[in-house]
Amino acid sequence: MPFGLFLYKIVTTMIAPFLGAIFRRRAKSGKEDETRISERLAQDLPQRPDDHVIWFHAASVGESQIQLELARRLVQTRAYKGLCLFTCQTQTAAQMISDAIDTDAVLKSVPCIQQMAPVDTPTIARRFLDHWRPHLAIIAEGEIWPNLLIEMNTRGIGSVLVNARMTEKSILGWLRWRKTANAVFSTFDLLVAADVQTKTGLSELSGRDVICPGNLKSALPAPSVDPDELDRLVEDIGDRPVLLAASTHPGEEAIVLDAWLKMVPRPFLIIAPRHPDRGDEIDKLLSMAKVGISRRSEGDPLNAQTDVLLADTIGEMGLWYRLCDTVYLGGGHTPGIGGHNPLEALRLGKPVISGPSIFNFRDLSERLLPLQGFSIVHDVDEIIAAIPALPVSTEMSLMLEADSLGPMSTTLDALDPILAQAVGNT
């Protein structure tokens, strides 16, 4: 066993006795659901059906959207009829998955269960796998948990890494522990990269062939919307232009607010934070600006005196994208975040501006920047100058349409032999 992997096992074993206290503290600060801590420890899990199980694992909202779409495609085009087990790390993603399971016609046709992700200690990994006994694990983007992967490999459980994305810093970090990286990444039966940088890095780390069909987020359907609610909000806002600050992080609301207060005339402003549980914090910031606020989570009505809608709810991005004229996309002005996916907004024809730190989407941004509809803003003055943004060009729309066809199809084709071996004819 490589020394790095041995050290990881020792450290994760040592922290195991303290996990209950750690999660209870996180629950008090709103970062965990206290009623679901047992799921983190792989305890008191629901009964496993006597059927095939595909485990779809993701970190947060974006990755979970990919997993939901993959599950839909496997049910629709590959006739999968077994259990779809979805796990994730955040409460926001958990709620989104649960809502999809309850409302999506395709997912309702097969058994689905949503769980919080287990902590990656040796004991919890074994307990989780003992209970669920998955036939195949499909892991999204960057959720690399060595104990679970090694244990699955030991048991002969197939595993696939889809839409993998690694920053240059992450690749260099793994390369410092080359033997450990090889031991971990070689457990996957299939490695599917979202971009060329990740493909190159994964090939080096795993010593394996890596396919690179493109970013699976380009194949995601537009977020759903209640047409009656959309019509009502359009009427409430009236003919005012609308600026949406979407997926914002701490500090970014202040940047947008500073720019917005200097705009003449001011557009109607919608703030939809990346994590809706930050609603109280953002509400206090807006109150200091002495503007008319409607808070979505509180059911506040919109009227002519409303200047800002604080959209601190889950599952309504389809509304906010369709209501706006321009999107300020968060994650690009907060250190370490690396930006967020602009494709949802762009595919709905909404121009996007973003801060400059978008290393998670470097390949995509390099293709988008020469085309009208996507631009980088560095500071408040540049945000003001960019509003209203120029509309999405025909060239960009055609590029996005072409991109939506390939990545998902190629990924599913690559999955076919592994799926057949894992679950056969379901």
Side-chain angles (χ1 to χ4, degrees):
M1 179 185 296
F3 176 71
L5 193 57
F6 172 76
L7 184 62
Y8 180 82
K9 284 182 173 289
I10 293 295
V11 171
T12 52
T13 299
M14 290 176 63
I15 68 170
F18 307 100
L19 287 173
I22 292 171
F23 279 110
R24 285 191 294 273
R25 178 175 293 182
R26 284 175 57 84
K28 287 182 180 179
S29 64
K31 296 178 180 178
E32 296 284 342
D33 183 343
E34 190 171 9
T35 66
R36 308 192 72 176
I37 291 175
S38 61
E39 295 174 21
R40 293 292 206 183
L41 308 178
Q43 295 173 338
D44 302 322
L45 300 175
Q47 184 176 349
R48 181 197 188 279
D50 185 18
D51 206 340
H52 293 103
V53 176
I54 296 182
W55 172 28
F56 298 86
H57 178 55
S60 190
V61 172
E63 300 91 335
S64 295
Q65 288 174 325
I66 288 173
Q67 296 288 42
L68 288 167
E69 184 62 20
L70 269 174
R72 292 186 194 100
R73 300 292 183 102
L74 291 179
V75 173
Q76 284 181 309
T77 67
R78 268 61 176 177
Y80 177 68
K81 299 299 180 185
L83 173 70
C84 294
L85 172 66
F86 297 96
T87 63
C88 61
Q89 302 285 2
T90 70
Q91 295 181 72
T92 306
Q95 185 62 57
M96 183 199 70
I97 295 169
S98 296
D99 290 345
I101 290 173
D102 290 341
T103 60
D104 186 276
V106 174
L107 295 179
K108 287 171 71 174
S109 71
V110 296
C112 294
I113 293 176
Q114 191 281 320
Q115 294 270 274
M116 299 307 296
V119 184
D120 192 42
T121 74
T123 299
I124 293 175
R126 288 192 295 269
R127 191 157 59 223
F128 179 87
L129 295 174
D130 285 345
H131 179 84
W132 288 114
R133 306 189 309 279
H135 293 75
L136 176 65
I138 300 178
I139 297 170
E141 298 205 358
E143 283 292 280
I144 310 300
W145 297 110
N147 288 321
L148 277 161
L149 289 169
I150 297 297
E151 187 66 27
M152 283 193 293
N153 191 57
T154 301
R155 299 180 186 213
I157 299 170
S159 61
V160 176
L161 181 62
V162 298
N163 210 55
R165 295 193 298 124
M166 302 178 76
T167 64
E168 183 178 0
K169 181 179 179 180
S170 177
I171 294 169
L172 292 174
W174 277 107
L175 284 172
R176 295 189 187 98
W177 299 84
R178 188 180 291 268
K179 291 183 179 179
T180 298
N182 183 262
V184 171
F185 287 104
S186 64
T187 63
F188 287 104
D189 296 275
L190 175 67
L191 294 165
V192 185
D195 54 61
V196 174
Q197 175 176 274
T198 302
K199 170 184 167 67
T200 303
L202 279 178
S203 298
E204 178 74 12
L205 293 169
S206 66
R208 302 260 305 279
D209 289 334
V210 179
I211 67 171
C212 182
N215 196 321
L216 283 180
K217 289 178 179 175
S218 65
L220 295 179
S224 60
V225 67
D226 178 341
D228 292 335
E229 182 66 2
L230 179 61
D231 289 343
R232 187 184 70 79
L233 289 170
V234 167
E235 183 176 352
D236 290 343
I237 294 171
D239 59 0
R240 289 176 285 179
V242 179
L243 169 63
L244 167 64
S247 294
T248 52
H249 292 263
E252 291 180 325
E253 296 89 10
I255 294 173
V256 172
L257 188 60
D258 190 8
W260 175 78
L261 288 169
K262 297 176 181 177
M263 294 179 189
V264 180
R266 293 177 190 165
F268 185 83
L269 176 62
I270 302 173
I271 299 179
R274 183 70 171 180
H275 302 291
D277 57 7
R278 294 183 52 242
D280 288 345
E281 168 192 336
I282 300 168
D283 196 3
K284 290 178 182 177
L285 175 69
L286 293 172
S287 297
M288 288 189 292
K290 294 181 171 44
V291 294
I293 307 165
S294 172
R295 188 165 174 180
R296 184 70 170 176
S297 64
E298 301 291 338
D300 297 341
L302 292 180
N303 53 47
Q305 284 69 51
T306 305
D307 303 302
V308 182
L309 170 60
L310 174 52
D312 55 339
T313 52
I314 295 172
E316 295 194 298
M317 285 306 299
L319 272 175
W320 316 138
Y321 280 137
R322 287 171 174 85
L323 282 170
C324 74
D325 299 290
T326 304
V327 178
Y328 166 88
L329 189 61
H333 277 117
T334 300
I337 300 298
H340 291 302
N341 173 31
L343 293 175
E344 279 187 338
L346 292 172
R347 289 174 64 196
L348 286 171
K350 307 299 182 176
V352 173
I353 61 175
S354 173
S357 180
I358 50 175
F359 53 81
N360 282 331
F361 297 91
R362 187 173 66 182
D363 285 9
L364 177 61
S365 63
E366 287 176 352
R367 298 177 63 213
L368 294 175
L369 281 170
L371 304 175
Q372 181 177 297
F374 180 78
S375 58
I376 298 299
V377 288
H378 294 83
D379 53 32
V380 167
D381 289 340
E382 291 189 6
I383 293 175
I384 296 171
I387 305 297
L390 294 173
V392 172
S393 66
T394 301
E395 291 81 3
M396 179 178 287
S397 296
L398 290 173
M399 185 194 81
L400 296 176
E401 182 179 356
D403 282 358
S404 70
L405 302 176
M408 183 64 73
S409 177
T410 302
T411 299
L412 288 169
D413 289 345
L415 268 172
D416 278 341
I418 299 168
L419 185 70
Q421 184 176 0
V423 302
N425 185 1
T426 60

